[in-house]
Amino acid sequence: MPSLSSRANRGWWDDNADDYQVEHGEFLRDTGFIWCPEGLDEADAHLLGEVRGRRVLEIGCGAAQCARWLAGQGAEVAAFDVSHRQLRHSRRIDEATGSRVPVVQADAEALPFAEAVFDLACSAFGALPFVADPLAVLREVRRVLRPGGRFVFSVSHPIRWAFPDDPGPHGLTSDRSYFDRSPYEERDEDGALTYVEHHRTMADWVNLVAASGLRLTGLLEPEWPEGHQRVWGGWSPLRGRHIPGTAVFSCANS
């Protein structure tokens, strides 16, 4: 059964998918693989290595922009998201581009795939920040990866949780404890949970990867690039020059 977090976030993303794609679609590109608001592009970063001929799973795919780019590089791709409305945008882009990316609606804590069927898995801010049990997700990823397979995922950098989510000067002054793991929640007028995002420290993420049976092989904190002026929520050139906004974890199934 989906967790309370999963149910709330599924509804939120269904309600907000249209606005999200309008606001960020051009930056993400219909057939682009952007890891984070800093604009780190897989075409340049090569965090997944060679993808041609590999079976790749995108986790929390949104409109499957990353999966579509991978398919264009010769990968055999599958993708899923908790939000049906996001997947409708994937179909819209398929029709506009003439592509066909296979997508399914699913919860990351219980993947609808057989064991050891993927060579690679990836997630660009998908699923992991929004689930109550990230260890379940990591174990599921390990289950569907072949021995020696690789998983790369990006999340908000944990240090960001000690600061206000503000792209301006106010966002440079810490106003809460980094060690306070209280989730960020939104509720409706009746008190029902409508959105939730969970905080884990850097040590939490490292320990979760280890507990899942995956092996951490790399950690990247992308610097804010010169000339990049785009503001995305709390990400901005001002804050990006001072504190990291994204953490990218590379893992192996060994």
Side-chain angles (χ1 to χ4, degrees):
M1 179 180 295
S3 68
L4 187 60
S5 291
S6 293
R7 292 197 300 271
N9 285 321
R10 179 176 59 202
W12 191 92
W13 281 106
D14 281 345
D15 290 343
N16 289 275
D18 293 358
D19 291 341
Y20 178 88
Q21 293 298 331
V22 167
E23 183 176 1
H24 302 298
E26 182 178 357
F27 176 70
L28 296 173
R29 305 196 312 272
D30 288 347
T31 55
F33 195 138
I34 303 300
W35 281 106
C36 52
E38 289 86 352
L40 181 68
D41 195 320
E42 176 60 14
D44 302 317
H46 305 293
L47 297 179
L48 293 172
E50 178 57 56
V51 300
R52 183 172 299 278
R54 303 291 184 89
R55 297 196 70 188
V56 187
L57 174 64
E58 185 183 4
I59 295 161
C61 66
Q65 287 96 337
C66 298
R68 201 168 286 103
W69 180 87
L70 289 164
Q73 304 304 305
E76 183 181 347
V77 182
F80 75 89
D81 198 272
V82 73
S83 166
H84 180 263
R85 188 61 185 171
Q86 285 281 49
L87 298 180
R88 292 297 301 168
H89 282 283
S90 178
R91 177 62 61 86
R92 170 183 58 79
I93 295 172
D94 278 351
E95 292 173 352
T97 61
S99 58
R100 181 62 63 185
V101 176
V103 296
V104 296
Q105 185 176 14
D107 191 316
E109 293 170 284
L111 299 182
F113 303 102
E115 294 184 9
V117 292
F118 294 102
D119 302 299
L120 301 166
C122 58
S123 184
F125 278 77
L128 281 161
F130 307 105
V131 296
D133 188 356
L135 181 56
V137 178
L138 293 170
R139 284 174 171 164
E140 279 289 88
V141 172
R142 182 172 184 263
R143 180 183 64 80
V144 302
L145 278 177
R146 292 170 177 159
R150 184 183 306 178
F151 176 40
V152 184
F153 67 94
S154 62
V155 295
S156 297
H157 197 288
I159 194 61
R160 283 295 181 98
W161 284 76
F163 295 82
D165 193 28
D166 185 325
H170 181 61
L172 296 176
T173 302
S174 175
D175 65 353
R176 69 205 74 182
S177 171
Y178 169 76
F179 300 103
D180 180 359
R181 292 165 175 82
S182 301
Y184 169 77
E185 297 180 348
E186 295 178 5
R187 295 180 180 272
D188 63 20
E189 59 274 11
D190 297 320
L193 189 66
T194 58
Y195 178 88
V196 60
E197 195 167 340
H198 297 271
H199 169 47
R200 283 102 194 182
T201 68
M202 190 66 80
D204 290 340
W205 281 118
V206 171
N207 290 329
L208 285 164
V209 169
S212 74
L214 295 167
R215 177 170 56 89
L216 185 65
T217 60
L219 174 60
L220 178 64
E221 299 167 306
E223 295 187 43
W224 195 270
E226 291 292 332
H228 180 39
Q229 297 301 315
R230 190 176 195 277
V231 174
W232 182 327
W235 285 264
S236 67
L238 174 65
R239 296 186 78 201
R241 287 193 295 268
H242 291 272
I243 56 175
T246 299
V248 188
F249 296 84
S250 295
C251 313
N253 185 21
S254 55

